[in-house]
Amino acid sequence: MAVVAEPTRRGRRSGPQARREARIGLLFVLPCFLLFLAFRFGPGIAGVLMSFTDYSLTGGGSFIGLDNFTRLWDDPLFWQALKVTVLYTVLAVPGTLIASVSLALITRRAFRGAKFFRSVFFLPVVTSLVLAATVFVWIFSTGGPWSTLMSWFGMSEGSWLSDDVLVLPALAIVGVWSRFGYGMLILLARMQDIPRELEEAALTDGAGPWQRFRYIVLPQLKPALFFLAVIETTASFQVFDAVYTMTGGGPANASYTLVFQLYDAGFKYFDLGYASAIGVALFALTVVVAVIQRLVIGKDQ
């Protein structure tokens, strides 16, 4: 017994020696931790402070209080960009979640080629979105594959990217295509932890596929769906690269998002104080939506 207990006591060090080793470990971690704080939170704090100034690359800046936010409230372009961002999010996030759940259900079973299909479905996540967006410009162009396909259903063969009504659905399709693979893997990992006995018992009792999904699988996916909803909403609010590559905010500002306005204010007009105010407003909007999602989706978790 003494021989067995001795290694256990050695594995549970306590007292001055353990505290000394912990302090030494913290000293080694401290430089990386300080760098993380500086480069992770430093720019965010600087952006919030800058939003209260008229800072510009051409002439410095001075404290102006809430003037940037007052200007933002009175700016019709900001409200247009906010409307576009919200509409894009309403289209892209549900589409991404539905595609993720559907493909996770399809690939959860062990069948021949399952790993191959999982890899193919995940491929858009690791593909350069700028490169993919360039290809999608051709796909959505006049007479392109998508327009030709839609013409079979009686729609015009014109480019969706030049239509102020269809441009956001086109961008949402690209957003869903680029993001559903990530959600599929998250949900697939959660589905693997669902006890198979639950579904087998429901199947024995005569439950169909929809009943098994609704009453067994879906409740088990609720925490993962809440996580994905927050992540995908945040990503949709920050959409920029696809918009910049495919439409440039057009036509007639129909795809002009908040991040695009932030880019224009900061890097086109060098009005960094106003750009920072847009960033703060976008951050506040993201937090508010995340809290609402928490109350609606994740309140029981």
Side-chain angles (χ1 to χ4, degrees):
M1 294 297 294
V3 175
V4 176
E6 184 64 24
T8 303
R9 287 195 299 268
R10 289 181 179 177
R12 298 178 180 176
R13 294 184 178 181
S14 60
Q17 178 68 16
R19 288 193 292 271
R20 180 173 175 274
E21 292 179 357
R23 286 194 295 268
I24 294 175
L26 289 175
L27 287 176
F28 280 102
V29 174
L30 186 60
C32 292
F33 180 69
L34 293 177
L35 288 174
F36 173 80
L37 290 179
F39 289 98
R40 184 67 176 178
F41 297 101
I45 296 173
V48 172
L49 296 177
M50 197 179 295
S51 67
F52 297 102
T53 69
D54 60 350
Y55 190 86
S56 172
L57 288 179
T58 58
S62 58
F63 181 78
I64 58 173
L66 298 175
D67 287 359
N68 282 327
F69 296 97
T70 303
R71 175 184 167 191
L72 199 65
W73 182 266
D74 296 331
D75 187 357
L77 187 59
F78 167 75
W79 295 107
Q80 168 66 15
L82 177 61
K83 182 182 75 171
V84 169
T85 302
V86 172
L87 287 176
Y88 172 83
T89 302
V90 169
L91 293 172
V93 173
T96 303
L97 294 179
I98 292 173
S100 299
V101 172
S102 301
L103 292 174
L105 288 171
I106 293 173
T107 58
R108 66 181 297 209
R109 303 297 183 185
F111 61 91
R112 198 171 199 180
K115 293 182 179 179
F116 169 76
F117 285 108
R118 292 172 188 171
S119 301
V120 171
F121 292 149
F122 187 75
L123 190 60
V125 179
V126 296
T127 301
S128 169
L129 187 53
V130 174
L131 177 62
T134 304
V135 176
F136 273 104
V137 169
W138 167 72
I139 292 175
F140 286 111
S141 63
T142 302
W146 183 262
S147 300
T148 302
L149 176 64
M150 291 297 102
S151 67
W152 296 350
F153 299 94
M155 299 185 66
S156 172
E157 291 191 28
S159 172
W160 279 31
L161 300 180
S162 59
D163 190 304
D164 57 354
V165 175
L166 298 176
V167 63
L168 281 183
L171 291 171
I173 290 172
V174 178
V176 172
W177 175 85
S178 65
R179 297 288 302 176
F180 73 83
Y182 175 77
M184 179 197 69
L185 283 189
I186 296 295
L187 296 174
L188 190 60
R190 183 68 188 95
M191 287 180 183
Q192 300 296 338
D193 293 334
I194 299 176
R196 190 65 57 86
E197 294 80 7
L198 295 177
E199 294 187 69
E200 292 176 351
L203 183 62
T204 304
D205 292 337
W210 170 248
Q211 286 77 17
R212 296 199 302 272
F213 171 75
R214 180 181 178 183
Y215 296 108
I216 296 178
V217 177
L218 190 58
Q220 300 290 330
L221 294 180
K222 199 172 184 181
L225 285 174
F226 168 66
F227 168 77
L228 284 179
V230 174
I231 294 297
E232 297 302 330
T233 301
T234 303
S236 296
F237 281 158
Q238 297 176 357
V239 62
F240 172 76
D241 37 11
V243 175
Y244 182 85
T245 305
M246 297 177 66
T247 67
N253 291 334
S255 62
Y256 196 76
T257 62
L258 282 175
V259 176
F260 206 98
Q261 186 187 18
L262 188 154
Y263 168 80
D264 276 351
F267 297 97
K268 186 176 181 180
Y269 303 110
F270 303 112
D271 192 351
L272 299 184
Y274 190 59
S276 299
I278 298 173
V280 172
L282 180 60
F283 173 75
L285 176 64
T286 304
V287 171
V288 169
V289 173
V291 171
I292 295 174
Q293 289 174 327
R294 175 78 172 98
L295 295 176
V296 174
I297 303 176
K299 60 183 178 181
D300 296 330
Q301 303 304 321

